[in-house]
Amino acid sequence: MTEIGSDAGSAAAVWYDLTAGQMDFWEEFQFHPDQPVSTVAHVIAFNGVLDEAAMLSAIRQTVAEADTLALRFRETEDGRVQQRVDPARVPQVRQLDLRQEPDPEAAARRLMRADIDAPLDLRHAPLSAQMLLRLGERRWFWYSRGHHIILDGYSMSLIEKRVATLYAAALGQGEVGRPFDRLADFLREERDYAQSPAFQTDRSYWRDTLAPHRGDLPVLQKGAEDYGLAPLTADFAMGPDFDAALRDAAARLGMNWADLLTLLSAIWLSLLDPGRRPANGPVWLPYMSRMGSISANIPAMVVNILPLIVDPQPDEPLPTLIGRLSRHFRRHRRHGRYRIEDIARDCGIPSGQRFHFTPLVNVMPFAPPRFHGLETERLVLAAGPGDGFNVSFTGGGTGSGLIASIEADPTIGATEFSGRVTAFRQWIGSVLRDPENAALVPVTATTPTSRVS
């Protein structure tokens, strides 16, 4: 990683090369400059007596600390892409009072949707937007938008929790806490890793692990005309009975609930999903890649994606398969810092292509932020392109209040999608009722029970 700048003490004066993960999104942008392919956006709805000045102060301080939100990119004459923090790019909070609108909430959603649907020019446009929208005497929206080249899902959670901490402190209900660390420190850490023996060890691990499966790793053309289509979606609460059964089954199998949910989902997607294509490919698992890293306190594009091959042995009981996959997953995570973009390069995938990350399972045990004196609800409005058939779960760190979100390529059709969603939901529920005796057989889907759009 190259650093260019006369003032080493000022992050804003230094240009850094993009990370491998960032370069993947830059290349995607070059193929689709007029599409909002990888926009990420959340809204937090507040109900209650909100202190507007305190909230504005908290948001402003947070976005000023999160220097990834103020990045500027450039292309050099030798073809490299670089980034630096530009103080002029720190997002300004847009305040709007919509109480005079006939339908304030609908007006707010139109504003947010228009922002999400606008293409983001990575060469020239600011990549983050912040809005505080008043809808009623006790109803507000805080809208936060970015691009995957600067943020991942955990980064959004970091930003939201930091705002909540600063808001409480402004009301005299706690300390201001630790500010975010600097993005430059993470970029230097990434450079040091790429030059370390650990990098070579991780590279060898993935080369050897994937060698027998090279022909089963699906590849996607970034320049395809149907790249980035809006997905079909289904969202539903798993319910308190499911949450309790999951925690109980995890305890009985000697593993944590998030890993069990991940592996059960991966097994269904790989072996039982009637629409699975191709039949022998991996299931893709996002890996936060922040443990032991300074990035644990830095909003940035850090998340990695790891392939897991689900390969049941003849007559292997489901609990045995789960245990074996759990051991594989733990080994993968020990080498999970090695980027999927580097794995693709090692597999001979050329520029303009990437692995097709579907089916994908993403379990995000990030508890939503709590804002002092306010009822809050967090909604994900945009999380990037949808293709294939992908399952995400959000919920607190204890495995309670789990919400499932399923996205799929719209070309499969709403009827097939609804049937697959329902079959998945019913199978995983049936397994958790008796995990020791569950079998690898599909459940016949009955009437779909999910909201599909």
Side-chain angles (χ1 to χ4, degrees), residues 143-440:
Y143 170 78
S144 180
R145 181 263 291 162
H147 188 279
H148 262 312
I149 200 169
I150 62 172
L151 294 168
D152 56 21
Y154 186 73
S155 298
M156 297 294 280
S157 178
L158 281 176
I159 289 170
E160 291 163 354
K161 290 183 178 180
R162 181 67 178 143
V163 171
T165 296
L166 291 171
Y167 179 71
L171 300 180
Q173 298 298 319
E175 302 296 325
V176 297
R178 176 184 173 186
F180 293 138
D181 292 306
R182 301 272 60 87
L183 177 67
D185 295 330
F186 165 65
L187 297 176
R188 293 189 193 100
E189 186 181 76
E190 285 291 278
R191 175 201 60 195
D192 293 344
Y193 166 69
Q195 298 171 353
S196 72
F199 180 89
Q200 296 302 329
T201 299
D202 295 341
R203 182 181 187 184
S204 296
Y205 172 83
W206 286 109
R207 181 192 61 208
D208 296 343
T209 297
L210 296 179
H213 307 286
R214 289 277 289 273
D216 297 326
L217 301 176
V219 175
L220 185 68
Q221 297 284 344
K222 292 182 184 178
E225 292 183 3
D226 60 351
Y227 188 95
L229 293 177
L232 295 169
T233 62
D235 304 281
F236 47 89
M238 299 305 294
D241 291 344
F242 178 94
D243 297 350
L246 174 64
R247 294 191 298 271
D248 180 65
R252 286 153 60 187
L253 294 173
M255 59 195 308
N256 69 65
W257 68 264
D259 280 0
L260 178 57
L261 185 56
T262 297
L263 295 176
L264 286 177
S265 301
I267 289 168
W268 187 87
L269 288 166
S270 188
L271 305 178
L272 302 176
D273 177 8
R276 174 68 196 272
R277 295 178 292 272
N280 299 313
V283 177
W284 300 92
L285 308 177
Y287 174 59
M288 192 165 63
S289 192
R290 293 176 184 260
M291 295 299 292
S293 165
I294 196 171
S295 64
N297 190 46
I298 300 175
M301 215 307 289
V302 180
V303 68
N304 201 7
I305 298 180
L306 307 178
L308 180 70
I309 306 297
V310 179
D311 55 347
Q313 304 303 305
D315 301 319
E316 183 175 33
L318 181 60
T320 305
L321 174 61
I322 292 171
R324 188 163 54 81
L325 291 177
S326 178
R327 292 189 292 273
H328 290 334
F329 193 19
R330 288 198 298 271
R331 284 196 296 270
H332 286 2
R333 285 190 288 212
R334 286 198 290 271
H335 301 278
R337 193 168 180 181
Y338 192 73
R339 294 290 315 178
I340 190 64
E341 297 83 12
D342 292 322
I343 294 174
R345 179 202 61 213
D346 296 342
C347 288
I349 295 177
S351 176
Q353 300 180 17
R354 66 166 172 83
F355 288 129
H356 191 190
F357 301 129
T358 192
L360 178 145
V361 182
N362 190 12
V363 177
M364 296 172 282
F366 315 144
R370 294 184 178 182
F371 286 79
H372 180 77
L374 298 169
E375 295 179 4
T376 62
E377 179 184 11
R378 177 177 60 192
L379 300 173
V380 177
L381 301 182
D387 49 35
F389 194 91
N390 305 318
V391 181
S392 298
F393 295 92
T394 56
T398 62
S400 59
L402 288 168
I403 303 293
S405 299
I406 300 180
E407 295 186 345
D409 188 320
T411 60
I412 71 172
T415 300
E416 177 184 336
F417 177 61
S418 293
R420 290 165 70 180
V421 168
T422 303
F424 167 74
R425 188 176 182 181
Q426 293 177 347
W427 180 81
I428 200 168
S430 70
V431 167
L432 290 179
R433 285 192 290 272
D434 189 9
E436 289 88 355
N437 297 306
L440 283 174

